[in-house]
């Protein structure tokens, strides 16, 4: 079977080298039949904050407030073993001023700024503490009132590469790449056992391989701020630690 497939592949290559118009869909389909299912297209997900934040494996993160009482209840994002990956120096995320997301060693990863004057609910994300723009998260509601959706527009891009869709109040949403590929899912069902043992477990984030964890962490911070702002607008005075 391998020899037949190899012969057909060489035949297709030879035909293309003479006249690409001679390659027919039937020939390609025959190769697929002999070699198995058609090859899946490799989706290249852009690295935004840096390759050091990208893993080749599926990853589960936990969003928590307290880890063994050592972080004063500040907002942290940990890996599945409970190791801190990202953190904020805030107990309640509101983004009323420039907010810096740091790594475990206190080095700035990204900074987030909410635009005060904008038709859309818009958040700008910069590299570290610089003004080097990475992406913008923008409310899509003005474009489509029937969807609860935020768009992620990378720096110098004219169209959004990612969308955030779901129920932000219940922290149950997905980050979708180019309209179809789910690259991360945020949900309460993604609890980690280590997070439960360490205490203060809030909700989980499941990431597909090759997804920039810093981008996802920044989006989680922005969605957390939207969640808290919604509670404030509704007059809910209860602590965000309880929900």
């Amino acid at each position: 079977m391998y020899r037949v497939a190899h012969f057909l592949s060489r035949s297709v290559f030879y035909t293309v080298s003479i006249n690409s118009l001679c390659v027919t869909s039937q020939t390609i389909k025959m190769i697929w039949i002999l070699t198995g299912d058609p090859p899946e297209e490799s989706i290249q997900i852009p690295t935004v904050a840096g390759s050091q934040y990208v893993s080749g494996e599926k990853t589960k993160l936990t969003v928590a407030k307290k880890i063994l009482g050592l972080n004063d209840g500040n907002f942290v994002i940990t890996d599945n073993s409970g190791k801190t990956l990202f953190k904020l120096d805030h107990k309640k995320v509101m983004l009323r001023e420039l907010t810096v997301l740091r790594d475990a060693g206190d080095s700035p990863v990204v900074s987030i700024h909410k635009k005060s004057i904008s038709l859309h609910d818009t958040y700008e994300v910069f590299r570290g503490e610089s003004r080097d723009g990475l992406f913008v998260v923008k409310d899509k509601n003005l474009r489509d009132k029937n969807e609860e959706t935020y768009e992620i527009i990378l720096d110098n891009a004219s169209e959004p590469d990612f969308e955030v869709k779901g129920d932000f109040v219940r922290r149950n949403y997905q980050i979708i790449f180019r309209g179809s590929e789910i690259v991360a899912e945020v949900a309460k069902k993604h609890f980690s056992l280590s997070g439960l043992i360490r205490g203060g477990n809030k909700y989980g984030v499941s990431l597909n391989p090759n997804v920039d964890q810093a981008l996802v962490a920044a989006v989680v911070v922005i969605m957390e701020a939207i969640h808290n702002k919604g509670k404030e607008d509704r007059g809910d005075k209860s602590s965000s630690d309880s929900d």
Side-chain angles (χ1 to χ4, degrees), residues 18-190:
I18 297 176
N19 185 350
S20 60
L21 295 179
C22 293
V23 180
T24 65
S25 60
Q26 288 84 355
T27 303
I28 296 174
K29 184 180 293 185
M30 178 64 70
I31 295 174
W32 288 351
I33 293 173
L34 292 171
T35 60
D37 293 334
E40 296 182 0
E41 293 184 7
S42 177
I43 298 176
Q44 299 296 323
I45 301 172
T47 299
V48 180
S51 58
Q52 67 269 37
Y53 305 115
V54 177
S55 172
E57 299 178 353
K58 193 176 183 67
T59 308
K60 289 188 177 181
L61 307 180
T62 299
V63 182
K65 291 292 180 68
K66 296 179 181 178
I67 298 182
L68 295 177
L70 297 178
N71 68 325
D72 298 323
N74 292 343
F75 185 89
V76 295
I77 298 176
T78 71
D79 64 14
N80 200 41
S81 67
K83 177 184 175 182
T84 297
L85 299 180
F86 307 102
K87 61 183 181 179
L88 296 176
D89 295 330
H90 304 281
K91 294 183 180 180
K92 189 170 184 178
V93 183
M94 296 301 294
L95 300 183
R96 291 195 176 101
E97 56 189 29
L98 185 70
T99 300
V100 180
L101 182 67
R102 301 182 182 276
D103 63 17
D106 285 330
S107 296
V109 178
V110 298
S111 53
I112 306 168
H113 173 256
K114 182 179 180 181
K115 294 185 71 173
S116 56
I117 302 176
S118 176
L119 292 176
H120 298 268
D121 196 8
T122 302
Y123 300 83
E124 299 173 302
V125 181
F126 303 93
R127 186 183 307 280
E129 294 180 284
S130 73
R131 298 300 292 178
D132 179 14
L134 294 177
F135 59 92
V136 171
V137 178
K138 181 181 296 186
D139 189 356
K140 189 183 175 182
N141 285 346
L142 285 180
R143 289 175 52 179
D144 189 345
K145 293 289 186 181
N146 295 321
E147 281 194 52
E148 190 170 14
T149 303
Y150 279 76
E151 298 174 328
I152 302 175
I153 306 171
L154 302 184
D155 189 48
N156 295 324
S158 58
E159 295 291 331
D161 278 301
F162 299 88
E163 287 186 332
V164 189
K165 292 186 176 183
D167 188 339
F168 306 124
V169 173
R170 292 179 174 83
R171 299 184 179 100
N172 186 3
Y173 55 88
Q174 297 172 333
I175 301 175
I176 303 169
F177 179 59
R178 293 184 179 171
S180 61
E181 181 75 10
I182 297 174
V183 298
E185 182 180 16
V186 178
K188 295 226 173 185
K189 67 182 180 182
H190 291 308

